[in-house]
Amino acid sequence: MVNTLPTPAARPSSSKKWDLQRILLVTGAILALSLATAYLFPTRTIRHLTNTSTDLIVKATKAPPGEVDIVIVVIDEASLNQHGQWPWPRDLFAKLLKRIQESGAVSIGINVIFPERDRTSPAHLLESSGGFIALTDPSRAPAERLDHDAYLAGSLAGGPFVLGYEFLFSEVEKGKSVDCPIPDVAVSRKPPSKGSMPDDVFYQATGVLCNYHPLTKAAPSAGFLNGAPDDDGVLRRLPLLIRYGDHNRLYPSFALAVLLQLYNQPNLTVEFNDKLQPRLHLADLRIAMDSHGNILLGPPGSIRPPHFSAADILGDKVSSKNLQGKIVLVGSTVSGLAQGYPTPYSLTENLLDLHAAAIRSLAAKVQTVRHPTFPFYEAALSLILSLVLAMLAAKAPTLLTVGFSLLAAVTSWGATHVLFQTTGQLFSPLLPTAVLFINSLLLITLKFRYFQLQAMAETDMTILLLQSSESNLRSILHTIPDIIFRLDAQGNIVFISPAICKYSNSHETFLGSSIFSHIAPQDRERARFRINERRTGDRATYNLEVRLLFNGPDAKSEQDYRFFSVSTEGLYQSNPPHTHGFIGTQGIAKDITDRKRLELQLLQAQKMEVIGNLAAGIAPDLNNILSGLVSYPDLLLLEIPRDNPLHSKIATIQKSGKKAAAIVQDLLSLARRNVLIPEISNMNRIITDYLESAEYQQLQARYPKITVLTDLNRDLMNINGSAVHLSKVVMNLLHNGMEAMPAGGKIVISTDNISLATPLHGYEPIPSGQYICLSVTDTGIGIPQADLPKIFEPFFTRKTTAKSGTGLGMTIIWATIKDHNGYLNIHSEEGQGTTLTIYLPATEEHFQLPQQRVVLEDYLGSETILIVDNDPEHLNIAANMLRKLGYTVHTAGGGNEALRIIEEQPVDLVVLDMILPGGDPDGLETYPEMMAALSEINVLITSGYSQPERFKEMQVLGISIFLQKPFTLEQLGMAVKAALCGPVAKPPSTQLFFGN
């Protein structure tokens, strides 16, 4: 039998509908029961939420008309300003009570506690002073002037006053005030019709904060001021009766005592129903209490009781009609004296208004009741609503289910409000609302998940087929090293092959991004035009070379580009393609970075080859020409006194010749065709010598606003290199840094020892090893990121036409560092400055200080010297200079002529030009023949240009002294002296180099 899958449009069968209905009913019932259980055994959070919901009902309900009239007399700021700060003399307070009593108040509650004797009373002052203070005629003084407490006690005894006090419940305070003569109330208890009388459920006090005893005894009635806040700190209920003393007498609350005074009722009756819930009978009032004797505060009145200032009462500014026949509460509202409590309808309710609300709640015909059985009714209602909602969710659309949930929630709140308004029964809509809300979300989610599973089952076969096809396609894509991509009509990437993972951690990061955001800015416009041509077939884009921002594992920074050859073709819905049917582009990108790098390296090598050939071709001729400008002035300056005007002019000519010779040497260094004689050097000394040179002083004078600082490591290791060439590196670095700061700034030269345990990837890869590090940092204009790859190219310069320079400085730095097997790293930000760091291999060999400069007399001589050079002019110059030094000189224009002279007469030294064109053998070829003719001969090699490999060959043959053209008289004399000092066989460590 073959099982067939239902079509996507198929709907679940009736049995499946019943399964869904059963699932939803069971789920709804379990959730409702779980919430009801948590609600019936609440945590502090659930109790707080329940109280908050009932607070909202109470606050939103309008209070019924008051059964009693209440007036509040307050000791406010105006009263204190007029009659002095609190506490007042009690004769003044007695006058206030007398005025209220005379106005016709039927019950006066005093919300003030007087725990001590009045210290301002004359009688108290007389006793405390031991009779020192005496009254002039005590018999004629009024009572209020003698004893304020007695006067206040007399006032209390003669009126409908209720004095307030506080019970204490701490064990530590137990028994402190047991002798307080507070009046209790006679309470008769009526047991339930079924069952026995319950134990006393009222709070048991351990002590009392009593008023001054004469006042307590004089007051006709008294009530405690205590409240019972819930665990969230909100005062929703007040105790009516509290047990105190050994006989467990019951004492009324302040509000209850005021009503007892009003109704002139000395007795109360407490009745217990069959559920052991107490109810208080007072006159015709039936006051419902909870199991601890508390009442719930009712809704706030629409009109607050009128407030009158005590100062106005004492000043007869309040009509007696405002107080006549009413309950009057006296207390303070001054900040620091009055207490405030949060209530269901106010964040802070002062004690006077709170007791006024309690009196209204006690006297109201509809009293606030929250029976302990109410949560069970709320739980039952929640279960019913949950089952109805589950059946509705199984059969009706989701929108109808949501509508029923909202309507039922609103109805529960409205019904709760109406029930409380009419009967005072306070139900909480919290549980029904929570059950409706959570159940609707859960049931809708389950219903959606149910149909989702059905749809997933119907599409399983399709998914299997798609997965098989996708697996085949993925295996093909994984074998293709090139990047295959697809774009939408706007050029955003909608697919990219796994080959992109060679350049990124995940191909998903590219999805949704524009292909042009990954193309280098220089190629973006060209690529935008070519890729968006929407062409197909022979007109499609093929082998478009662009630079992409895909960084490979060997990338140096995020800005590195990679070269790709991109081929794309437009995609269309219609066939043949139509403009309105264009849906995107698909293409392939091939990484050609290695090929482009090889091309760039080849191009760079060709550039250097051309420059090297050019330098090699012109260097000998230029150096021979420059010999007249560098060497002849030496001879002339020896013959012309310094005070002769021609002396400075000839020196200027020689200086210009030396500058021209330096440029030729730069060309040779650039082409890597200069002779580099390594020696043990110290970079700190090279830097210091240059900063002390006249050349640096001239450079500093050109840029007076630039400060050069040094931070040199005193324990810097030595290097094996050419101090002359490295000094030129320092010069070029400082020169470039100063030109980058036209407005002035700071350059810091620092050195340090660096040990790299792992390779460092900077401007170029730097292998691990021990290096000395030279850093030059300027605060100049910086180098644009686009120019960084080109700064070491020959003749590349960012200088303006007003600045001098050949564009060879940075290239010479690069070539010199590479000749020393070193590395460079560069960091630059536009507007911030540039730091160029050089890494040179360090050596453990020790540095020897150079010999002191010799004077002319030190290199005079009388030996016989043969000069071999094909240039007659240069031959003449060298001969004249040596004769000036006292030597016997012979000259030869080529190698063959030199060999004949050697055979004819002895010579002490041969000054041999390395390059001898014109058919004669050059210096390297002539020297072995000279050695064959004479067993011992000293040779000094001179040349304007020499290939390093040929110079190394001469070193192998034993020639260790080299003189660079053009040379001065001093350089020639020192080289000759050095060549004459030893035999021909010199080890390589004694190689000497003379020249610029």
Side-chain angles (χ1 to χ4, degrees):
M1 178 181 293
V2 178
N3 293 324
T4 59
L5 293 174
T7 62
R11 306 182 66 86
S13 64
S14 59
S15 62
K16 291 181 179 178
K17 285 186 177 180
W18 167 244
D19 291 341
L20 175 62
Q21 183 174 344
R22 184 166 52 189
I23 291 172
L24 296 183
L25 283 172
V26 173
T27 302
I30 292 175
L31 179 61
L33 288 174
S34 301
L35 293 177
T37 302
Y39 186 74
L40 295 176
F41 302 95
T43 62
R44 181 174 180 178
T45 301
I46 295 178
R47 286 198 301 271
H48 174 69
L49 294 175
T50 304
N51 290 332
T52 302
S53 65
T54 55
D55 290 346
L56 294 175
I57 299 296
V58 172
K59 190 173 183 180
T61 303
K62 180 183 290 186
E67 298 295 330
V68 293
D69 292 332
I70 302 175
V71 175
I72 296 177
V73 175
V74 296
I75 301 173
D76 54 5
E77 293 287 352
S79 302
L80 298 183
N81 292 336
Q82 185 172 349
H83 296 284
Q85 297 299 314
W86 188 262
W88 282 350
R90 291 178 186 169
D91 62 333
L92 178 62
F93 192 78
K95 291 179 182 178
L96 174 64
L97 298 180
K98 185 176 181 181
R99 295 287 177 88
I100 297 173
Q101 181 183 0
E102 292 173 351
S103 298
V106 295
S107 181
I108 305 171
I110 303 172
N111 191 7
V112 180
I113 299 177
F114 303 99
E116 298 178 352
R117 188 176 179 182
D118 187 358
R119 297 182 180 182
T120 63
S121 176
H124 175 71
L125 295 175
L126 183 63
E127 293 176 7
S128 61
S129 64
F132 180 77
I133 299 177
L135 299 175
T136 55
D137 188 1
S139 62
R140 299 179 60 185
E144 62 268 22
R145 294 187 57 189
L146 291 176
D147 192 341
H148 295 168
D149 292 307
Y151 181 69
L152 178 57
S155 300
L156 293 174
F161 297 103
V162 177
L163 194 60
Y165 62 91
E166 288 186 9
F167 276 122
L168 305 175
F169 295 89
S170 172
E171 291 296 332
V172 178
E173 299 169 345
K174 185 176 181 180
K176 282 188 176 180
S177 303
V178 294
D179 59 342
C180 182
I182 54 176
D184 58 351
V185 62
V187 178
S188 61
R189 306 187 186 189
K190 185 177 180 180
S193 59
K194 298 179 181 180
S196 60
M197 177 75 71
D199 294 335
D200 282 331
V201 294
F202 304 107
Y203 296 111
Q204 174 70 52
T206 60
V208 61
L209 178 59
C210 189
N211 288 282
Y212 184 46
H213 282 201
L215 301 180
T216 303
K217 292 178 180 179
S221 182
F224 59 82
L225 301 173
N226 300 76
D230 291 332
D231 52 7
D232 59 356
V234 178
L235 194 63
R236 299 181 179 89
R237 63 196 77 240
L238 289 174
L240 288 184
L241 296 169
I242 291 180
R243 292 184 295 120
Y244 175 67
D246 295 337
H247 301 288
N248 291 330
R249 295 178 179 178
L250 293 177
Y251 296 86
S253 68
F254 183 75
L256 181 60
V258 170
L259 285 179
L260 290 173
Q261 182 70 32
L262 174 67
Y263 294 128
N264 194 21
Q265 290 287 333
N267 299 321
L268 295 173
T269 301
V270 176
E271 177 185 2
F272 290 89
N273 59 17
D274 294 338
K275 297 180 180 179
L276 303 182
Q277 291 297 312
R279 183 182 296 272
L280 184 68
H281 294 258
L282 171 62
D284 60 346
L285 299 179
R286 300 294 182 266
I287 303 171
M289 297 185 294
D290 64 12
S291 58
H292 293 289
N294 299 312
I295 63 163
L296 288 176
L297 294 177
S302 57
I303 301 176
R304 293 182 61 196
H307 289 59
F308 297 105
S309 173
D312 294 338
I313 300 293
L314 291 171
D316 294 330
K317 296 180 181 180
V318 178
S319 174
S320 61
K321 296 180 180 180
N322 295 322
L323 307 178
Q324 186 175 5
K326 299 179 181 179
I327 296 175
V328 178
L329 302 181
V330 182
S332 175
T333 59
V334 177
S335 176
L337 299 179
Q339 294 177 316
Y341 301 91
T343 63
Y345 37 82
S346 176
L347 293 177
T348 304
E349 191 84 0
N350 65 65
L351 205 55
L352 288 173
D353 289 330
L354 185 61
H355 286 295
I359 294 171
R360 284 199 305 269
S361 298
L362 290 173
K365 292 183 178 180
V366 178
Q367 301 216 341
T368 302
V369 178
R370 174 136 179 100
H371 200 274
T373 59
F374 285 6
F376 293 94
Y377 295 129
E378 295 160 2
L381 176 63
S382 300
L383 182 59
I384 295 172
L385 290 176
S386 176
L387 295 177
V388 174
L389 181 64
M391 290 186 291
L392 191 64
K395 297 180 178 181
T398 301
L399 186 61
L400 185 59
T401 305
V402 175
F404 172 78
S405 299
L406 293 176
L407 180 61
V410 172
T411 302
S412 65
W413 281 87
T416 304
H417 173 71
V418 172
L419 188 63
F420 177 67
Q421 180 78 48
T422 55
T423 67
Q425 295 181 353
L426 185 58
F427 285 89
S428 171
L430 174 66
L431 182 60
T433 303
V435 167
L436 287 169
F437 178 74
I438 298 175
N439 245 338
S440 62
L441 289 179
L442 180 60
L443 296 178
I444 292 173
T445 303
L446 286 176
K447 183 178 179 181
F448 173 79
R449 180 60 178 168
Y450 176 81
F451 287 111
Q452 185 184 40
L453 291 175
Q454 293 296 321
M456 290 173 61
E458 294 168 358
T459 56
D460 277 346
M461 185 60 68
T462 305
I463 292 176
L464 289 175
L465 294 174
L466 289 175
Q467 287 177 345
S468 176
S469 176
E470 182 182 1
S471 177
N472 294 334
L473 180 60
R474 186 183 295 111
S475 63
I476 295 173
L477 291 177
H478 274 288
T479 60
I480 300 176
D482 299 333
I483 301 172
I484 300 172
F485 61 90
R486 178 171 288 187
L487 314 176
D488 60 14
Q490 289 73 37
N492 298 319
I493 300 174
V494 295
F495 170 79
I496 194 164
S497 67
I500 193 65
C501 294
K502 292 187 296 184
Y503 314 101
S504 176
N505 293 332
S506 173
H507 68 282
E508 296 177 356
T509 58
F510 294 90
L511 297 180
S513 62
S514 174
I515 185 66
F516 304 109
S517 65
H518 301 290
I519 297 177
Q522 301 91 325
D523 301 336
R524 197 163 293 165
E525 288 302 321
R526 177 168 57 91
R528 193 184 302 275
F529 174 75
R530 294 290 302 277
I531 293 178
N532 279 359
E533 281 186 309
R534 306 184 178 186
R535 295 179 178 179
T536 61
D538 295 337
R539 301 183 62 200
T541 299
Y542 294 101
N543 297 327
L544 172 65
E545 288 190 6
V546 294
R547 285 166 287 183
L548 301 183
L549 300 176
F550 299 155
N551 297 326
D554 57 342
K556 301 171 187 174
S557 67
E558 292 295 326
Q559 299 300 325
D560 284 350
Y561 301 147
R562 297 189 70 85
F563 290 88
F564 285 81
S565 175
V566 180
S567 299
T568 61
E569 185 176 24
L571 296 176
Y572 294 85
Q573 289 179 335
S574 57
N575 190 17
H578 189 271
T579 303
H580 298 290
F582 177 72
I583 60 174
T585 305
Q586 66 181 4
I588 185 170
K590 183 179 181 64
D591 193 342
I592 58 172
T593 304
D594 294 338
R595 189 186 78 189
K596 292 296 294 184
R597 287 177 177 172
L598 290 175
E599 291 177 357
L600 293 175
Q601 291 176 4
L602 178 60
L603 180 61
Q604 183 72 9
Q606 290 174 344
K607 286 182 182 179
M608 299 300 291
E609 184 70 20
V610 171
I611 295 173
N613 292 335
L614 175 64
I618 65 174
D621 295 334
L622 283 177
N623 280 327
N624 286 334
I625 295 172
L626 291 173
S627 296
L629 297 175
V630 175
S631 302
Y632 264 128
D634 263 345
L635 296 175
L636 295 175
L637 291 175
L638 290 175
E639 299 175 356
I640 299 176
R642 287 187 174 271
D643 56 354
N644 193 310
L646 293 177
H647 190 282
S648 61
K649 296 177 181 179
I650 294 174
T652 301
I653 294 173
Q654 186 186 41
K655 184 177 180 181
S656 299
K658 289 181 178 180
K659 288 183 178 180
I663 294 175
V664 175
Q665 293 304 313
D666 288 344
L667 287 173
L668 293 175
S669 297
L670 175 65
R672 311 287 292 275
R673 302 203 179 186
N674 208 345
V675 177
L676 180 65
I677 304 297
E679 57 186 352
I680 302 302
S681 305
N682 187 276
M683 185 55 71
N684 285 351
R685 185 169 186 85
I686 293 172
I687 295 170
T688 304
D689 289 345
Y690 175 73
L691 294 180
E692 293 175 355
S693 66
E695 185 177 7
Y696 169 73
Q697 300 301 325
Q698 294 175 0
L699 182 63
Q700 186 71 53
R702 289 173 55 190
Y703 299 96
K705 297 181 180 180
I706 296 177
T707 303
V708 177
L709 305 175
T710 58
D711 181 15
L712 307 181
N713 187 339
R714 295 183 178 181
D715 298 324
L716 189 69
M717 299 179 68
N718 297 324
I719 57 174
N720 191 9
S722 171
V724 175
H725 292 83
L726 292 176
S727 178
K728 189 166 248 185
V729 168
V730 175
M731 177 197 71
N732 284 323
L733 289 175
L734 287 178
H735 195 273
N736 286 342
M738 290 184 175
E739 287 191 340
M741 296 183 289
K746 180 175 66 175
I747 295 177
V748 178
I749 307 173
S750 61
T751 59
D752 204 354
N753 298 313
I754 299 293
S755 180
L756 297 180
T758 58
L760 176 66
H761 296 282
Y763 186 83
E764 61 174 337
I766 304 173
S768 58
Q770 186 74 32
Y771 299 93
I772 69 102
C773 180
L774 166 65
S775 294
V776 177
T777 301
D778 64 65
T779 57
I781 59 177
I783 302 173
Q785 293 297 319
D787 290 344
L788 279 177
K790 301 182 291 184
I791 61 172
F792 294 111
E793 291 184 2
F795 307 113
F796 174 78
T797 179
R798 296 178 62 246
K799 301 174 184 177
T800 60
T801 55
K803 298 289 183 73
S804 62
T806 61
L808 297 178
M810 296 300 290
T811 311
I812 292 172
I813 293 174
W814 176 271
T816 302
I817 298 306
K818 292 307 168 185
D819 284 340
H820 286 76
N821 299 320
Y823 304 91
L824 296 101
N825 192 13
I826 186 168
H827 175 75
S828 182
E829 294 183 15
E830 288 190 78
Q832 301 295 323
T834 302
T835 298
L836 194 146
T837 306
I838 296 173
Y839 295 83
L840 295 173
T843 180
E844 298 290 343
E845 299 185 44
H846 296 290
F847 169 73
Q848 296 181 353
L849 294 176
Q851 297 181 353
Q852 295 184 354
R853 183 185 181 93
V854 296
V855 296
L856 180 61
E857 288 76 9
D858 292 334
Y859 47 81
L860 296 177
S862 59
E863 287 85 354
T864 301
I865 299 176
L866 172 61
I867 304 175
V868 183
D869 199 313
N870 68 307
D871 188 337
E873 182 178 353
H874 185 269
L875 200 62
N876 186 34
I877 293 172
N880 289 335
M881 295 176 77
L882 290 176
R883 291 189 181 101
K884 191 72 174 177
L885 296 175
Y887 294 103
T888 301
V889 180
H890 301 285
T891 61
N896 294 330
E897 184 180 356
L899 290 172
R900 288 195 301 268
I901 295 176
I902 291 175
E903 293 175 354
E904 295 175 356
Q905 56 185 5
V907 295
D908 299 304
L909 175 67
V910 177
V911 180
L912 179 62
D913 192 353
M914 185 173 291
I915 299 176
L916 297 173
D920 276 353
D922 62 7
L924 183 60
E925 297 169 346
T926 303
Y927 178 72
E929 298 183 16
M930 291 183 178
M931 291 290 294
L934 297 176
S935 59
E936 292 186 2
I937 187 170
N938 292 317
V939 176
L940 167 64
I941 293 295
T942 179
S943 177
Y945 142 76
S946 176
Q947 298 176 355
E949 59 272 10
R950 293 184 64 81
F951 180 72
K952 291 179 181 179
E953 293 180 22
M954 289 189 171
Q955 290 178 322
V956 173
L957 295 175
I959 302 176
S960 57
I961 301 178
F962 179 83
L963 178 62
Q964 180 76 48
K965 291 183 182 179
F967 46 76
T968 62
L969 178 63
E970 179 183 358
Q971 293 168 347
L972 177 60
M974 292 175 63
V976 169
K977 274 292 184 182
L980 291 172
C981 285
V984 293
K986 295 184 177 69
S989 60
T990 59
Q991 298 164 4
L992 297 177
F993 175 84
F994 297 91
N996 298 316

